[in-house]
Amino acid sequence: MAEDDKTGEIGEVGEVGETTDGTAEGRDLDGLLRSLRVWAPGVTSLPAFDVGAAPGEPSALFTTWFAQAVGAGEREPHAVSLATADEEGRPDVRIVVLHGADERGWSFATHRTSRKGGHLAARPYAALAFYWPALGRQVRVRGPVTAAPAAEARSDLHARSTGALAAALTGHQSEPLASLDDLRAASEAAWDRARTHPETESPTWTLYHLAPEEVEFFQGEEHRRHVRLRYWREAGGPWQRGLLWP
């Protein structure tokens, strides 16, 4: 849950309509929003966050939290919101898949000719946000972005599934599409190439590394005393850390 979206009580259900089963029939958006649970008991566990035991740098804590999200049953813990901005500074956001996190930073991939690829060419700076509701946790990362060498991007692509390769080979990401028939034809051809020639390259496919300048770990707490631990550093210097009011 976002730190500025705390309108309901933990586990509270709004009394809107005759049911609270999440069905939309006969209910407006406001009613649906008021009917939703926030970190419902039995669905979400809110573990204590001992900030005194947190490591001195953020990647180790991220790895621990990521593993705990997997263990808690998060279906897609590697799905992450990626925020970029265009040449005029107008923001945009979408969900991508995390490809790795190590000493070089947090990694994701896309076509350099896509909208986000164009944004990163014009403004090579981005932010990531992970949300793991099963534990009431989120992690935010921001910093400069660089493109990995082409050989590394190829290796990364060919280590993934046949479907991932087919999607990359389909190409034309973010371009106008005349019809779904055109998409189907291009996709079927790409799937055929991916199956019969798995070594096929996608020239525009690019692996990016976001080098973190700031990383925040957010742990929800049932009495709304949420814990926010922020790591930051300047010009590649040592990591510093401190708490933030929720």
Side-chain angles (χ1 to χ4, degrees):
M1 183 183 70
E3 64 270 20
D4 60 352
D5 186 12
K6 309 166 187 169
T7 55
E9 291 299 323
I10 300 297
E12 182 181 71
V13 181
E15 296 181 358
V16 179
E18 297 181 356
T19 65
T20 56
D21 62 0
T23 58
E25 185 175 356
R27 306 172 72 185
D28 61 16
L29 177 60
D30 288 343
L32 287 170
L33 289 171
R34 288 193 296 272
S35 75
L36 294 174
R37 290 176 179 265
V38 179
W39 296 333
V43 177
T44 297
S45 170
L46 298 175
F49 183 12
D50 182 1
V51 295
E57 55 86 23
S59 63
L61 182 56
F62 177 82
T63 298
T64 297
W65 275 29
F66 187 88
Q68 290 172 348
V70 174
E74 289 287 358
R75 298 292 296 272
E76 296 182 346
H78 56 327
V80 55
S81 297
L82 167 67
T84 58
D86 65 16
E87 290 182 349
E88 298 179 6
R90 294 174 298 188
D92 205 346
V93 66
R94 75 289 288 162
I95 307 297
V96 298
V97 171
L98 181 70
H99 283 226
D102 54 27
E103 67 280 356
R104 296 169 300 177
W106 276 250
S107 302
F108 58 92
T110 188
H111 291 281
R112 66 173 179 268
T113 51
S114 68
R115 175 180 292 183
K116 53 188 172 292
H119 288 181
L120 292 170
R123 290 176 174 259
Y125 201 90
L128 302 172
F130 297 86
Y131 179 46
W132 300 316
L135 296 171
R137 286 176 171 172
Q138 63 174 297
V139 180
R140 301 193 300 172
V141 187
R142 63 179 180 178
V145 177
T146 57
E152 186 180 349
R154 287 194 298 269
S155 234
D156 176 80
L157 177 59
H158 291 137
R160 301 180 70 209
S161 67
T162 300
L165 177 58
L169 294 176
T170 300
H172 303 290
Q173 191 175 49
S174 301
E175 296 177 12
L177 175 65
S179 73
L180 294 179
D181 288 338
D182 290 349
L183 172 60
R184 184 179 300 107
S187 176
E188 288 174 352
W191 271 95
D192 183 62
R193 275 181 292 157
R195 292 189 183 105
T196 58
H197 297 88
E199 75 287 352
T200 302
E201 298 180 9
S202 175
T204 59
W205 189 253
T206 304
L207 181 67
Y208 293 94
H209 300 308
L210 188 159
E213 293 179 338
E214 181 178 357
V215 184
E216 181 191 321
F217 295 83
F218 173 102
Q219 174 62 67
E221 199 271 343
E222 64 175 329
H223 300 293
R224 302 307 174 95
R225 295 188 282 269
H226 311 309
V227 180
R228 297 174 63 189
L229 178 63
R230 173 180 175 251
Y231 290 82
W232 74 96
R233 64 180 175 183
E234 298 178 2
W239 283 105
Q240 303 178 67
R241 61 181 182 175
L243 296 171
L244 298 172
W245 281 86

